[in-house]
Amino acid sequence: SPIAPCDFVVFGGTGDLTVRKLLPALYLRDRDGQLPDDTRIIAVSRAGLDAAGYRDKVHGELERFVTSDALDEAVVDRFLRRLEFAGIDAADGSTWEPLTALLPREADRIRVYYLACAPRLFGPISENLAANGLVDQHSRVVLEKPIGHDLESARAINDAVGAVFDESQIFRIDHYLGKESVQNLLVTRFANTVLEPLWNSTSIDHVQITVSEEIGVGSRGEYYDTSGALRDMVQNHLLQVLCLVAMEPPTYVDRESVRDEKLKVLQALKPMTPEDAERDTVAGQYGPGLVNGVAVPGYRDEADNADSRTETFVAVKAEVRNWRWAGVPFYLRTGKRMERRHSEVVIAFNPVPHPMFPGSEGTSEPNRLVIRLQPTEGMRLHMTAKEPGPGGIRLRPVSLDLNYTEVFPHPSPDAYERLLMDVVRGNPTLFMRRDEVEAAWTWVEPILANWARTERVPRRYPAGTDGPVDAVTLIERDGRTWNEGALR
Ligand code: BG6
């Protein structure tokens, strides 16, 4: 059903995120009849365009970023007519007239201000919105990650935006929370009873979270080179997934309960001492290599910075210090230009306490539950079975498989489709609250500080591989192994 009357105002209206994700998501919601007839999308940017020029540009981009079977000429036309363009310098209030002219005061109309621009602009844009009388109780502001660069800058942004908007109007996006497979983590845990009694240190040996990407930094080098994988992926996406795996059952799934429980997990993460950071973190950077048989340049070439020390790969051993998880390591890793796009959560259970089958020592692998998040959703439980035969008992690994695309053949909506509609509905459950963002920075900061102090140079790994060998050492020195290839 259609959402309430609203307009979307997108700062960073010609940027990578807007054309690749936001506009395709809004287009698809439009196609499904969810946007009211008078909904407009107002792009704000310094680019020298007018509405007609912007519509032309977006027309071309939709053809690139929306699958052809979802493109319908009549819908595309209707969608393009919704687009307006305000060519202003968002940070300079004296240039705002073209935007304010597009936004006359209208009682009860929801306005979503989507800040898909550099985080240093979040404060100034909020101030300019207020100064121009564009903020009332129907306004919402969406902040794209990264929320700052470290704890201090995150607090400054939260203060500046918070001076204009109430926390209930602020939507900090972590698009991983909008992914169907990530939401399903909660359902898998809490809408079933078989797993939860085992979901603790008594039965679980360790947890792995892997988010591997095939793509490199492409044209985002300028942003990425000042960020790196720890800030770009671990501080937000991987820690959010960790929270969903580790949190206690909330009483309800509502706007605060889930976020309260996630916050408790973040607060229970063991703070990294310099020695921990030295021992338990690995930074890597891709060099040239082959991805799917195609030669690709190294990171330093792509980012156009021959001396760059920015990490494109991170592995970390984390610990959640609470009753449920004491002593259970959480191994996290993420990297760009890895062998393939693949994300999974692995719950590695304890080994059997006693090898009772003659000759079975070492042949029975501990059970593993592998929850695949991307590129397709699935779940696999690794078990041990008897190999059929008249001789003695021989053990063989087997698996129970659940492939969601077979069960639910319809394609899932993109994370941004869900999240944008939640913003209009005023539902912040799948967005990060201020305290969560700051708790995540609190944990990440000592790692960054340690890397800076020791002038750590990331280990090189060839593009198209699974990262530096140090990441293997990180887990193998504990007598454990990454879940390599289990789902290939
Ligand atoms: C973004 C990061 O938040 O997530 C990108 O800034 C990364 O660097 C992307 O590529 C990964 O998202 P997804 O949905 O493709 O896994």
Side-chain angles (χ1 to χ4, degrees), residues 44-76:
V44 182
S45 157
R46 280 186 303 188
L49 287 172
D50 57 11
Y54 187 66
R55 287 175 187 158
D56 274 353
K57 174 181 163 58
V58 172
H59 198 170
E61 306 284 17
L62 282 182
E63 279 163 9
R64 278 176 64 201
F65 295 112
V66 176
T67 53
S68 52
D69 56 341
L71 282 173
D72 173 313
E73 217 175 299
V75 183
V76 171

PDB file of all heavy atoms in Angstrom, residues 44-76:
ATOM      1  N   VAL A  44      20.001  17.362  -4.714  1.00  0.00           N
ATOM      2  CA  VAL A  44      20.775  18.555  -4.397  1.00  0.00           C
ATOM      3  C   VAL A  44      22.239  18.256  -4.692  1.00  0.00           C
ATOM      4  O   VAL A  44      22.761  17.216  -4.256  1.00  0.00           O
ATOM      5  CB  VAL A  44      20.611  18.928  -2.906  1.00  0.00           C
ATOM      6  CG1 VAL A  44      21.381  20.197  -2.584  1.00  0.00           C
ATOM      7  CG2 VAL A  44      19.141  19.060  -2.538  1.00  0.00           C
ATOM      8  N   SER A  45      22.864  19.145  -5.446  1.00  0.00           N
ATOM      9  CA  SER A  45      24.258  18.898  -5.798  1.00  0.00           C
ATOM     10  C   SER A  45      24.856  20.181  -6.353  1.00  0.00           C
ATOM     11  O   SER A  45      24.127  21.082  -6.788  1.00  0.00           O
ATOM     12  CB  SER A  45      24.312  17.787  -6.851  1.00  0.00           C
ATOM     13  OG  SER A  45      25.496  17.858  -7.599  1.00  0.00           O
ATOM     14  N   ARG A  46      26.185  20.259  -6.343  1.00  0.00           N
ATOM     15  CA  ARG A  46      26.827  21.437  -6.936  1.00  0.00           C
ATOM     16  C   ARG A  46      26.985  21.292  -8.445  1.00  0.00           C
ATOM     17  O   ARG A  46      27.428  22.221  -9.114  1.00  0.00           O
ATOM     18  CB  ARG A  46      28.195  21.658  -6.292  1.00  0.00           C
ATOM     19  CG  ARG A  46      28.084  22.359  -4.944  1.00  0.00           C
ATOM     20  CD  ARG A  46      29.441  22.703  -4.409  1.00  0.00           C
ATOM     21  NE  ARG A  46      30.259  21.489  -4.307  1.00  0.00           N
ATOM     22  CZ  ARG A  46      31.442  21.445  -3.725  1.00  0.00           C
ATOM     23  NH1 ARG A  46      31.972  22.536  -3.219  1.00  0.00           N
ATOM     24  NH2 ARG A  46      32.129  20.325  -3.656  1.00  0.00           N
ATOM     25  N   ALA A  47      26.670  20.090  -8.964  1.00  0.00           N
ATOM     26  CA  ALA A  47      26.846  19.867 -10.403  1.00  0.00           C
ATOM     27  C   ALA A  47      26.023  20.894 -11.195  1.00  0.00           C
ATOM     28  O   ALA A  47      24.944  21.278 -10.781  1.00  0.00           O
ATOM     29  CB  ALA A  47      26.379  18.450 -10.762  1.00  0.00           C
ATOM     30  N   GLY A  48      26.568  21.340 -12.302  1.00  0.00           N
ATOM     31  CA  GLY A  48      25.883  22.348 -13.107  1.00  0.00           C
ATOM     32  C   GLY A  48      24.806  21.724 -13.989  1.00  0.00           C
ATOM     33  O   GLY A  48      24.981  21.572 -15.195  1.00  0.00           O
ATOM     34  N   LEU A  49      23.686  21.336 -13.382  1.00  0.00           N
ATOM     35  CA  LEU A  49      22.608  20.687 -14.131  1.00  0.00           C
ATOM     36  C   LEU A  49      21.303  21.432 -13.862  1.00  0.00           C
ATOM     37  O   LEU A  49      21.194  22.181 -12.897  1.00  0.00           O
ATOM     38  CB  LEU A  49      22.416  19.246 -13.639  1.00  0.00           C
ATOM     39  CG  LEU A  49      23.458  18.200 -14.001  1.00  0.00           C
ATOM     40  CD1 LEU A  49      23.170  16.901 -13.238  1.00  0.00           C
ATOM     41  CD2 LEU A  49      23.437  17.909 -15.502  1.00  0.00           C
ATOM     42  N   ASP A  50      20.303  21.193 -14.708  1.00  0.00           N
ATOM     43  CA  ASP A  50      18.945  21.616 -14.349  1.00  0.00           C
ATOM     44  C   ASP A  50      18.088  20.347 -14.304  1.00  0.00           C
ATOM     45  O   ASP A  50      18.601  19.239 -14.516  1.00  0.00           O
ATOM     46  CB  ASP A  50      18.399  22.641 -15.349  1.00  0.00           C
ATOM     47  CG  ASP A  50      18.417  22.097 -16.768  1.00  0.00           C
ATOM     48  OD1 ASP A  50      18.652  20.866 -16.935  1.00  0.00           O
ATOM     49  OD2 ASP A  50      18.209  22.866 -17.719  1.00  0.00           O
ATOM     50  N   ALA A  51      16.798  20.511 -14.037  1.00  0.00           N
ATOM     51  CA  ALA A  51      15.956  19.319 -13.862  1.00  0.00           C
ATOM     52  C   ALA A  51      15.995  18.438 -15.111  1.00  0.00           C
ATOM     53  O   ALA A  51      16.125  17.206 -15.021  1.00  0.00           O
ATOM     54  CB  ALA A  51      14.527  19.727 -13.532  1.00  0.00           C
ATOM     55  N   ALA A  52      15.936  19.064 -16.302  1.00  0.00           N
ATOM     56  CA  ALA A  52      15.914  18.266 -17.532  1.00  0.00           C
ATOM     57  C   ALA A  52      17.221  17.483 -17.676  1.00  0.00           C
ATOM     58  O   ALA A  52      17.221  16.287 -18.015  1.00  0.00           O
ATOM     59  CB  ALA A  52      15.704  19.180 -18.739  1.00  0.00           C
ATOM     60  N   GLY A  53      18.334  18.167 -17.410  1.00  0.00           N
ATOM     61  CA  GLY A  53      19.634  17.505 -17.518  1.00  0.00           C
ATOM     62  C   GLY A  53      19.748  16.363 -16.516  1.00  0.00           C
ATOM     63  O   GLY A  53      20.284  15.286 -16.814  1.00  0.00           O
ATOM     64  N   TYR A  54      19.230  16.597 -15.314  1.00  0.00           N
ATOM     65  CA  TYR A  54      19.303  15.563 -14.287  1.00  0.00           C
ATOM     66  C   TYR A  54      18.459  14.347 -14.681  1.00  0.00           C
ATOM     67  O   TYR A  54      18.883  13.204 -14.546  1.00  0.00           O
ATOM     68  CB  TYR A  54      18.856  16.131 -12.945  1.00  0.00           C
ATOM     69  CG  TYR A  54      19.071  15.169 -11.799  1.00  0.00           C
ATOM     70  CD1 TYR A  54      20.362  14.805 -11.414  1.00  0.00           C
ATOM     71  CD2 TYR A  54      17.991  14.603 -11.118  1.00  0.00           C
ATOM     72  CE1 TYR A  54      20.570  13.906 -10.378  1.00  0.00           C
ATOM     73  CE2 TYR A  54      18.194  13.706 -10.075  1.00  0.00           C
ATOM     74  CZ  TYR A  54      19.486  13.359  -9.708  1.00  0.00           C
ATOM     75  OH  TYR A  54      19.687  12.462  -8.685  1.00  0.00           O
ATOM     76  N   ARG A  55      17.263  14.625 -15.213  1.00  0.00           N
ATOM     77  CA  ARG A  55      16.395  13.510 -15.631  1.00  0.00           C
ATOM     78  C   ARG A  55      17.070  12.670 -16.720  1.00  0.00           C
ATOM     79  O   ARG A  55      17.008  11.440 -16.695  1.00  0.00           O
ATOM     80  CB  ARG A  55      15.054  14.043 -16.145  1.00  0.00           C
ATOM     81  CG  ARG A  55      14.192  14.544 -15.009  1.00  0.00           C
ATOM     82  CD  ARG A  55      12.921  15.194 -15.498  1.00  0.00           C
ATOM     83  NE  ARG A  55      12.234  15.792 -14.360  1.00  0.00           N
ATOM     84  CZ  ARG A  55      11.345  16.764 -14.430  1.00  0.00           C
ATOM     85  NH1 ARG A  55      10.989  17.262 -15.601  1.00  0.00           N
ATOM     86  NH2 ARG A  55      10.796  17.252 -13.346  1.00  0.00           N
ATOM     87  N   ASP A  56      17.727  13.347 -17.640  1.00  0.00           N
ATOM     88  CA  ASP A  56      18.451  12.616 -18.693  1.00  0.00           C
ATOM     89  C   ASP A  56      19.507  11.709 -18.104  1.00  0.00           C
ATOM     90  O   ASP A  56      19.656  10.544 -18.480  1.00  0.00           O
ATOM     91  CB  ASP A  56      19.177  13.612 -19.623  1.00  0.00           C
ATOM     92  CG  ASP A  56      18.262  14.085 -20.717  1.00  0.00           C
ATOM     93  OD1 ASP A  56      17.145  13.546 -20.814  1.00  0.00           O
ATOM     94  OD2 ASP A  56      18.676  15.013 -21.467  1.00  0.00           O
ATOM     95  N   LYS A  57      20.259  12.306 -17.172  1.00  0.00           N
ATOM     96  CA  LYS A  57      21.345  11.543 -16.551  1.00  0.00           C
ATOM     97  C   LYS A  57      20.784  10.312 -15.839  1.00  0.00           C
ATOM     98  O   LYS A  57      21.268   9.196 -16.017  1.00  0.00           O
ATOM     99  CB  LYS A  57      22.072  12.455 -15.547  1.00  0.00           C
ATOM    100  CG  LYS A  57      23.139  11.757 -14.729  1.00  0.00           C
ATOM    101  CD  LYS A  57      23.781  12.753 -13.747  1.00  0.00           C
ATOM    102  CE  LYS A  57      24.532  12.042 -12.636  1.00  0.00           C
ATOM    103  NZ  LYS A  57      25.602  11.153 -13.112  1.00  0.00           N
ATOM    104  N   VAL A  58      19.723  10.534 -15.069  1.00  0.00           N
ATOM    105  CA  VAL A  58      19.166   9.428 -14.286  1.00  0.00           C
ATOM    106  C   VAL A  58      18.568   8.362 -15.213  1.00  0.00           C
ATOM    107  O   VAL A  58      18.679   7.157 -14.943  1.00  0.00           O
ATOM    108  CB  VAL A  58      18.114   9.949 -13.284  1.00  0.00           C
ATOM    109  CG1 VAL A  58      17.384   8.798 -12.610  1.00  0.00           C
ATOM    110  CG2 VAL A  58      18.784  10.831 -12.239  1.00  0.00           C
ATOM    111  N   HIS A  59      17.987   8.804 -16.321  1.00  0.00           N
ATOM    112  CA  HIS A  59      17.442   7.849 -17.283  1.00  0.00           C
ATOM    113  C   HIS A  59      18.509   6.825 -17.675  1.00  0.00           C
ATOM    114  O   HIS A  59      18.301   5.606 -17.622  1.00  0.00           O
ATOM    115  CB  HIS A  59      16.947   8.607 -18.521  1.00  0.00           C
ATOM    116  CG  HIS A  59      16.013   7.791 -19.356  1.00  0.00           C
ATOM    117  ND1 HIS A  59      15.294   8.313 -20.392  1.00  0.00           N
ATOM    118  CD2 HIS A  59      15.684   6.476 -19.322  1.00  0.00           C
ATOM    119  CE1 HIS A  59      14.573   7.358 -20.943  1.00  0.00           C
ATOM    120  NE2 HIS A  59      14.795   6.244 -20.312  1.00  0.00           N
ATOM    121  N   GLY A  60      19.677   7.349 -18.037  1.00  0.00           N
ATOM    122  CA  GLY A  60      20.785   6.469 -18.424  1.00  0.00           C
ATOM    123  C   GLY A  60      21.224   5.571 -17.262  1.00  0.00           C
ATOM    124  O   GLY A  60      21.484   4.377 -17.446  1.00  0.00           O
ATOM    125  N   GLU A  61      21.279   6.142 -16.063  1.00  0.00           N
ATOM    126  CA  GLU A  61      21.771   5.369 -14.907  1.00  0.00           C
ATOM    127  C   GLU A  61      20.781   4.258 -14.533  1.00  0.00           C
ATOM    128  O   GLU A  61      21.191   3.169 -14.144  1.00  0.00           O
ATOM    129  CB  GLU A  61      21.980   6.280 -13.681  1.00  0.00           C
ATOM    130  CG  GLU A  61      22.875   7.480 -13.916  1.00  0.00           C
ATOM    131  CD  GLU A  61      24.352   7.129 -13.973  1.00  0.00           C
ATOM    132  OE1 GLU A  61      24.676   5.938 -14.155  1.00  0.00           O
ATOM    133  OE2 GLU A  61      25.170   8.064 -13.852  1.00  0.00           O
ATOM    134  N   LEU A  62      19.486   4.546 -14.664  1.00  0.00           N
ATOM    135  CA  LEU A  62      18.504   3.500 -14.324  1.00  0.00           C
ATOM    136  C   LEU A  62      18.716   2.287 -15.218  1.00  0.00           C
ATOM    137  O   LEU A  62      18.617   1.143 -14.771  1.00  0.00           O
ATOM    138  CB  LEU A  62      17.074   4.015 -14.509  1.00  0.00           C
ATOM    139  CG  LEU A  62      16.488   4.918 -13.425  1.00  0.00           C
ATOM    140  CD1 LEU A  62      15.051   5.274 -13.782  1.00  0.00           C
ATOM    141  CD2 LEU A  62      16.540   4.282 -12.046  1.00  0.00           C
ATOM    142  N   GLU A  63      19.030   2.572 -16.480  1.00  0.00           N
ATOM    143  CA  GLU A  63      19.230   1.444 -17.398  1.00  0.00           C
ATOM    144  C   GLU A  63      20.445   0.610 -16.997  1.00  0.00           C
ATOM    145  O   GLU A  63      20.518  -0.574 -17.282  1.00  0.00           O
ATOM    146  CB  GLU A  63      19.331   1.948 -18.838  1.00  0.00           C
ATOM    147  CG  GLU A  63      17.940   2.198 -19.378  1.00  0.00           C
ATOM    148  CD  GLU A  63      17.879   3.057 -20.619  1.00  0.00           C
ATOM    149  OE1 GLU A  63      18.936   3.362 -21.221  1.00  0.00           O
ATOM    150  OE2 GLU A  63      16.749   3.457 -20.976  1.00  0.00           O
ATOM    151  N   ARG A  64      21.389   1.261 -16.299  1.00  0.00           N
ATOM    152  CA  ARG A  64      22.566   0.499 -15.851  1.00  0.00           C
ATOM    153  C   ARG A  64      22.298  -0.254 -14.552  1.00  0.00           C
ATOM    154  O   ARG A  64      22.817  -1.333 -14.333  1.00  0.00           O
ATOM    155  CB  ARG A  64      23.740   1.445 -15.587  1.00  0.00           C
ATOM    156  CG  ARG A  64      24.498   1.825 -16.833  1.00  0.00           C
ATOM    157  CD  ARG A  64      25.587   2.829 -16.503  1.00  0.00           C
ATOM    158  NE  ARG A  64      26.614   2.300 -15.626  1.00  0.00           N
ATOM    159  CZ  ARG A  64      27.426   3.066 -14.887  1.00  0.00           C
ATOM    160  NH1 ARG A  64      27.309   4.378 -14.899  1.00  0.00           N
ATOM    161  NH2 ARG A  64      28.364   2.537 -14.137  1.00  0.00           N
ATOM    162  N   PHE A  65      21.519   0.376 -13.662  1.00  0.00           N
ATOM    163  CA  PHE A  65      21.457  -0.166 -12.297  1.00  0.00           C
ATOM    164  C   PHE A  65      20.137  -0.846 -11.918  1.00  0.00           C
ATOM    165  O   PHE A  65      19.996  -1.331 -10.809  1.00  0.00           O
ATOM    166  CB  PHE A  65      21.808   0.930 -11.279  1.00  0.00           C
ATOM    167  CG  PHE A  65      23.226   1.403 -11.420  1.00  0.00           C
ATOM    168  CD1 PHE A  65      23.518   2.684 -11.868  1.00  0.00           C
ATOM    169  CD2 PHE A  65      24.280   0.546 -11.144  1.00  0.00           C
ATOM    170  CE1 PHE A  65      24.825   3.099 -12.022  1.00  0.00           C
ATOM    171  CE2 PHE A  65      25.597   0.952 -11.288  1.00  0.00           C
ATOM    172  CZ  PHE A  65      25.869   2.234 -11.734  1.00  0.00           C
ATOM    173  N   VAL A  66      19.193  -0.862 -12.850  1.00  0.00           N
ATOM    174  CA  VAL A  66      17.968  -1.630 -12.590  1.00  0.00           C
ATOM    175  C   VAL A  66      17.947  -2.764 -13.613  1.00  0.00           C
ATOM    176  O   VAL A  66      18.229  -2.538 -14.788  1.00  0.00           O
ATOM    177  CB  VAL A  66      16.714  -0.739 -12.757  1.00  0.00           C
ATOM    178  CG1 VAL A  66      15.440  -1.557 -12.589  1.00  0.00           C
ATOM    179  CG2 VAL A  66      16.729   0.416 -11.757  1.00  0.00           C
ATOM    180  N   THR A  67      17.628  -3.968 -13.176  1.00  0.00           N
ATOM    181  CA  THR A  67      17.645  -5.086 -14.130  1.00  0.00           C
ATOM    182  C   THR A  67      16.582  -4.852 -15.211  1.00  0.00           C
ATOM    183  O   THR A  67      15.512  -4.298 -14.941  1.00  0.00           O
ATOM    184  CB  THR A  67      17.350  -6.430 -13.427  1.00  0.00           C
ATOM    185  OG1 THR A  67      16.149  -6.279 -12.695  1.00  0.00           O
ATOM    186  CG2 THR A  67      18.478  -6.832 -12.507  1.00  0.00           C
ATOM    187  N   SER A  68      16.893  -5.304 -16.412  1.00  0.00           N
ATOM    188  CA  SER A  68      16.050  -4.923 -17.556  1.00  0.00           C
ATOM    189  C   SER A  68      14.601  -5.421 -17.398  1.00  0.00           C
ATOM    190  O   SER A  68      13.661  -4.749 -17.820  1.00  0.00           O
ATOM    191  CB  SER A  68      16.663  -5.414 -18.863  1.00  0.00           C
ATOM    192  OG  SER A  68      16.933  -6.781 -18.745  1.00  0.00           O
ATOM    193  N   ASP A  69      14.407  -6.576 -16.745  1.00  0.00           N
ATOM    194  CA  ASP A  69      13.028  -7.050 -16.619  1.00  0.00           C
ATOM    195  C   ASP A  69      12.202  -6.188 -15.659  1.00  0.00           C
ATOM    196  O   ASP A  69      10.974  -6.277 -15.636  1.00  0.00           O
ATOM    197  CB  ASP A  69      12.981  -8.531 -16.212  1.00  0.00           C
ATOM    198  CG  ASP A  69      13.728  -8.790 -14.938  1.00  0.00           C
ATOM    199  OD1 ASP A  69      14.566  -7.937 -14.556  1.00  0.00           O
ATOM    200  OD2 ASP A  69      13.491  -9.831 -14.297  1.00  0.00           O
ATOM    201  N   ALA A  70      12.879  -5.348 -14.868  1.00  0.00           N
ATOM    202  CA  ALA A  70      12.134  -4.467 -13.954  1.00  0.00           C
ATOM    203  C   ALA A  70      11.882  -3.094 -14.579  1.00  0.00           C
ATOM    204  O   ALA A  70      11.185  -2.268 -14.011  1.00  0.00           O
ATOM    205  CB  ALA A  70      12.896  -4.311 -12.639  1.00  0.00           C
ATOM    206  N   LEU A  71      12.473  -2.853 -15.757  1.00  0.00           N
ATOM    207  CA  LEU A  71      12.309  -1.535 -16.386  1.00  0.00           C
ATOM    208  C   LEU A  71      11.044  -1.528 -17.237  1.00  0.00           C
ATOM    209  O   LEU A  71      10.874  -2.372 -18.109  1.00  0.00           O
ATOM    210  CB  LEU A  71      13.517  -1.202 -17.262  1.00  0.00           C
ATOM    211  CG  LEU A  71      14.771  -0.739 -16.518  1.00  0.00           C
ATOM    212  CD1 LEU A  71      15.936  -0.606 -17.492  1.00  0.00           C
ATOM    213  CD2 LEU A  71      14.549   0.572 -15.766  1.00  0.00           C
ATOM    214  N   ASP A  72      10.180  -0.565 -16.965  1.00  0.00           N
ATOM    215  CA  ASP A  72       8.929  -0.456 -17.709  1.00  0.00           C
ATOM    216  C   ASP A  72       8.852   0.992 -18.172  1.00  0.00           C
ATOM    217  O   ASP A  72       8.962   1.915 -17.358  1.00  0.00           O
ATOM    218  CB  ASP A  72       7.788  -0.826 -16.746  1.00  0.00           C
ATOM    219  CG  ASP A  72       6.424  -0.590 -17.367  1.00  0.00           C
ATOM    220  OD1 ASP A  72       6.210   0.488 -17.949  1.00  0.00           O
ATOM    221  OD2 ASP A  72       5.580  -1.499 -17.238  1.00  0.00           O
ATOM    222  N   GLU A  73       8.667   1.194 -19.455  1.00  0.00           N
ATOM    223  CA  GLU A  73       8.786   2.552 -20.008  1.00  0.00           C
ATOM    224  C   GLU A  73       7.833   3.546 -19.341  1.00  0.00           C
ATOM    225  O   GLU A  73       8.231   4.664 -18.996  1.00  0.00           O
ATOM    226  CB  GLU A  73       8.503   2.504 -21.503  1.00  0.00           C
ATOM    227  CG  GLU A  73       9.381   3.452 -22.302  1.00  0.00           C
ATOM    228  CD  GLU A  73       9.121   3.241 -23.783  1.00  0.00           C
ATOM    229  OE1 GLU A  73       9.356   2.120 -24.288  1.00  0.00           O
ATOM    230  OE2 GLU A  73       8.656   4.206 -24.396  1.00  0.00           O
ATOM    231  N   ALA A  74       6.608   3.113 -19.119  1.00  0.00           N
ATOM    232  CA  ALA A  74       5.624   4.023 -18.520  1.00  0.00           C
ATOM    233  C   ALA A  74       6.033   4.384 -17.095  1.00  0.00           C
ATOM    234  O   ALA A  74       5.898   5.541 -16.663  1.00  0.00           O
ATOM    235  CB  ALA A  74       4.237   3.376 -18.535  1.00  0.00           C
ATOM    236  N   VAL A  75       6.535   3.404 -16.358  1.00  0.00           N
ATOM    237  CA  VAL A  75       6.955   3.681 -14.979  1.00  0.00           C
ATOM    238  C   VAL A  75       8.187   4.579 -14.976  1.00  0.00           C
ATOM    239  O   VAL A  75       8.302   5.511 -14.179  1.00  0.00           O
ATOM    240  CB  VAL A  75       7.232   2.369 -14.214  1.00  0.00           C
ATOM    241  CG1 VAL A  75       7.586   2.668 -12.763  1.00  0.00           C
ATOM    242  CG2 VAL A  75       6.042   1.438 -14.274  1.00  0.00           C
ATOM    243  N   VAL A  76       9.112   4.308 -15.897  1.00  0.00           N
ATOM    244  CA  VAL A  76      10.323   5.140 -15.971  1.00  0.00           C
ATOM    245  C   VAL A  76       9.912   6.588 -16.232  1.00  0.00           C
ATOM    246  O   VAL A  76      10.394   7.513 -15.557  1.00  0.00           O
ATOM    247  CB  VAL A  76      11.287   4.637 -17.074  1.00  0.00           C
ATOM    248  CG1 VAL A  76      12.438   5.617 -17.294  1.00  0.00           C
ATOM    249  CG2 VAL A  76      11.831   3.256 -16.718  1.00  0.00           C
TER     250      VAL A  76
END
